């Protein structure tokens, strides 16, 4: 089991990650709401535009839909990871480690996928300040979530 010296480090990273995942969820929710309000209107008698995408986001580029979708998934699983992490930090024993480590690993994996789409979105360049903020948070979260996983395992 990880040493007790890693408990404050893990708790700090857990709090930081939780706050950042909540912010990612807020910005992602805004992006989805805006996409729904300003997306394509398809009804009876309307034809699909030539380059129709079911995940069209009017405020970004071609990667925005995938980026926001995976960012929302990573945010939800990240918050669940924080809840399991709180339980593990409270008890800090070997029996609570597997659940905290497994959900943290899933959250990190989804965050890494979202970070990949963030990098693609940065490469394509056309985006607004909120999307840039979410990109930065996901890039930071990819590193801090991995460090959190190492901290709860006592790998330092």
């Amino acid at each position: 089991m990880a040493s007790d010296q890693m408990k404050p480090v893990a708790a700090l990273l857990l709090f930081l990650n939780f706050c950042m995942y909540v912010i990612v969820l807020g910005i992602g929710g805004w992006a989805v709401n805006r996409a729904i309000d300003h997306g394509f209107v398809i009804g009876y008698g309307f034809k699909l535009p030539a380059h129709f995408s079911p995940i069209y986001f009017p405020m970004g580029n071609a990667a925005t839909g995938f980026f926001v979708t995976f960012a929302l998934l990573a945010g939800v699983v990240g918050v669940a990871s924080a809840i399991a992490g709180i339980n593990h930090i409270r008890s800090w024993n070997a029996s609570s480690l597997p659940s905290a480590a497994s959900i943290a690993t899933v959250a990190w994996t989804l965050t890494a996928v979202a970070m990949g789409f963030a990098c693609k979105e940065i490469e394509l360049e056309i985006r607004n300040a909120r999307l840039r903020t979410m990109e930065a948070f996901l890039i930071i979260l990819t590193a801090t979530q991995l460090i959190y996983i190492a901290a709860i395992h006592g790998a330092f």
Side-chain angles (χ1 to χ4, degrees):
M1 183 64 214
S3 68
D4 286 336
Q5 295 173 346
M6 294 308 296
K7 190 174 181 179
V9 173
L12 177 68
L13 286 169
L14 182 69
F15 179 73
L16 175 69
N17 288 351
F18 176 76
C19 292
M20 290 180 74
Y21 276 124
V22 168
I23 292 169
V24 165
L25 283 173
I27 296 171
W30 165 83
V32 169
N33 184 47
R34 181 158 166 138
I36 291 170
D37 289 344
H38 300 291
F40 292 120
V41 177
I42 302 171
Y44 180 75
F46 289 114
K47 293 185 179 182
L48 290 175
H51 299 289
F52 175 73
S53 171
I55 49 176
Y56 169 74
F57 283 76
M59 72 293 234
N61 52 42
T64 303
F66 299 103
F67 168 62
V68 171
T69 301
F70 279 96
L72 284 171
L73 286 170
V76 169
V77 177
V79 169
S81 167
I83 293 168
I86 290 169
N87 183 40
H88 176 60
I89 298 279
R90 275 185 330 125
S91 60
W92 200 254
N93 57 33
S95 65
S96 64
L97 177 63
S99 63
S102 62
I103 190 73
T105 304
V106 172
W108 175 76
T109 305
L110 287 171
T111 305
V113 171
M115 185 202 68
F117 284 118
C119 292
K120 184 62 178 178
E121 187 167 338
I122 291 168
E123 180 186 328
L124 295 177
E125 294 184 358
I126 304 169
R127 60 207 195 280
N128 65 18
R130 290 182 182 148
L131 291 175
R132 276 182 264 170
T133 302
M134 194 161 66
E135 292 163 2
F137 276 25
L138 281 165
I139 291 168
I140 294 167
L141 272 167
T142 303
T144 58
Q145 186 73 10
L146 186 61
I147 295 169
Y148 165 72
I149 292 168
I152 62 175
H153 280 92
F156 288 111

